[in-house]
Amino acid sequence: MLKEHKINEKITWYEAEEPNQAEQDRLVELGITRELLFYALDPNESARTEIDQPTGNVLIVFDIITPNSSLAATEPVSMLIDKKGNFYTISHATTARISEKLFAVGRENHLEPTDLTAIDIFINAVSALVSEYISTISTANRQRNIIQSNLRHKIQSGAISSLMELETQMIYILDSLRTDRTAISRLQAYLGNRVNDNQKEYFADLLVENTQAIDMANQAAEVITAISGAYSNLNNQRLDKSLRALTMLQALMAVPTVVTGFYGMNMHLPLAGLQYSWIITFGITLILIVIEIFVLIKIHFFDR
């Protein structure tokens, strides 16, 4: 799908969602090179800023939150500013929500539509996307608090799995925020004096918001890792206690097996011919079990 949105007399926003071959050819006609288009369409592309010196086009690959994706917590979406000042978004099905953000920015932007530039659209869109990171991290913290509260009452394997999922999500978010920061900084450095004072201030605000999100994600990841590790240790301790109990029972059950095994042999044994020999063997078994329990107590087996 390829749509054109006329922002003002100077800017057109080209919205491409999983463009087919004909739509890709149209983008090439508009001045995007095949190389930049290949980067923009790559679902595994790392967040970065790519500058095509011959054409003057700037491609910004930016990782965004993808709650409906089955692949990862974040995925890349591509934004491009051409030498004419037009703005492009190239997305996949899971990242097409970038369009919703841009429409929201268009309604809420403090600037008049006639004054908007592609850089303004980029800054405001990225600001909304970074805020979404912060919101997602806050949601993850709330989920972690609920899981932690439940674990205080009963340790469940499902809760541990949920903590692991949150931990994995934080890894993706942290990596994406760091690479997004690099992309923003490189774009700012490339634009240099071509941005006005307000845009410079907004770029600085973007980096501050990104840093705040990174700090929040780092803290959330550390807490989740600590809680997950603590409850994993508790699980290991419970398993250790269970194994020690089974070992003790196995050792105790081995005594009657040995005694009865001896007296079950087809050979003459002491006391085997007496009328109450089975009571004697029971007594021998009981004495050996008491001795065994005494030895286990002496070596502090039950205190470990």
Side-chain angles (χ1 to χ4, degrees):
M1 178 189 72
L2 179 61
K3 295 181 179 179
E4 297 183 17
H5 307 276
K6 193 71 176 177
I7 306 298
N8 54 40
E9 291 300 321
K10 299 178 182 178
I11 306 172
T12 300
W13 165 28
Y14 295 92
E15 178 192 2
E17 179 185 340
E18 294 190 344
N20 57 33
Q21 189 57 54
E23 291 165 343
Q24 292 180 35
D25 293 339
R26 170 60 179 156
L27 290 172
V28 171
E29 291 175 4
L30 290 169
I32 301 178
T33 62
R34 293 283 180 186
E35 183 181 10
L36 281 186
L37 195 56
F38 174 79
Y39 295 150
L41 291 171
D42 186 357
N44 299 312
E45 192 70 29
S46 297
R48 62 196 180 93
T49 296
E50 182 74 21
I51 300 161
D52 187 39
Q53 296 293 350
T55 62
N57 295 338
V58 181
L59 173 68
I60 308 102
V61 182
F62 199 86
D63 283 343
I64 68 171
I65 296 290
T66 50
N68 299 322
S69 173
S70 59
L71 298 177
T74 62
E75 289 185 37
V77 65
S78 298
M79 292 173 276
L80 188 141
I81 302 173
D82 68 13
K83 62 181 178 181
K84 299 176 183 177
N86 293 316
F87 191 76
Y88 300 75
T89 55
I90 304 173
S91 62
H92 299 277
T94 52
T95 55
R97 46 201 302 277
I98 181 69
S99 300
E100 300 173 9
K101 294 295 179 185
L102 287 174
F103 278 122
V105 165
R107 290 191 298 268
E108 299 169 6
N109 201 289
H110 65 285
L111 295 173
E112 292 295 327
T114 54
D115 298 327
L116 279 174
T117 67
I119 297 172
D120 293 319
I121 297 173
F122 169 80
I123 289 173
N124 285 277
V126 169
S127 178
L129 293 171
V130 173
S131 296
E132 197 170 61
Y133 273 104
I134 294 174
S135 176
T136 301
I137 295 167
S138 298
T139 301
N141 282 331
R142 287 193 293 272
Q143 292 174 343
R144 184 255 304 160
N145 286 332
I146 294 171
I147 295 169
Q148 187 176 358
S149 177
N150 292 335
L151 283 173
R152 288 194 184 100
H153 304 290
K154 184 178 180 181
I155 297 178
Q156 301 172 333
S157 58
I160 301 296
S161 298
S162 297
L163 282 174
M164 290 175 62
E165 290 176 6
L166 288 177
E167 191 172 359
T168 303
Q169 182 186 33
M170 285 303 110
I171 291 172
Y172 279 109
I173 287 176
L174 264 174
D175 182 68
S176 295
L177 283 169
R178 287 166 180 154
T179 52
D180 283 350
R181 181 181 180 83
T182 302
I184 295 170
S185 298
R186 178 165 167 73
L187 176 63
Q188 183 185 23
Y190 171 72
L191 293 174
N193 293 327
R194 282 177 281 181
V195 295
N196 58 42
D197 290 340
N198 284 334
Q199 290 168 341
K200 287 180 181 178
E201 184 178 345
Y202 292 143
F203 265 113
D205 290 342
L206 271 185
L207 293 175
V208 169
E209 290 176 10
N210 178 273
T211 301
Q212 180 185 356
I214 289 175
D215 291 340
M216 288 180 64
N218 265 322
Q219 185 183 47
E222 289 174 3
V223 172
I224 292 170
T225 301
I227 293 171
S228 180
Y231 283 105
S232 293
N233 288 336
L234 285 177
N235 261 343
N236 291 336
Q237 289 177 8
R238 290 176 63 190
L239 179 61
D240 181 61
K241 289 180 179 179
S242 298
L243 290 175
R244 281 193 288 113
L246 290 173
T247 302
M248 180 192 69
L249 289 174
Q250 186 178 17
L252 294 176
M253 292 300 295
V255 174
T257 303
V258 171
V259 175
T260 56
F262 268 112
Y263 279 90
M265 294 179 181
N266 190 19
M267 56 185 294
H268 179 71
L269 289 171
L271 309 176
L274 298 178
Q275 183 178 1
Y276 300 105
S277 58
W278 67 273
I279 296 178
I280 296 172
T281 57
F282 179 78
I284 294 172
T285 301
L286 188 60
I287 291 169
L288 291 175
I289 288 176
V290 170
I291 293 172
E292 186 176 4
I293 292 175
F294 177 76
V295 172
L296 291 174
I297 292 173
K298 291 295 287 184
I299 64 174
H300 302 288
F301 181 84
F302 300 105
D303 298 334
R304 296 177 185 175

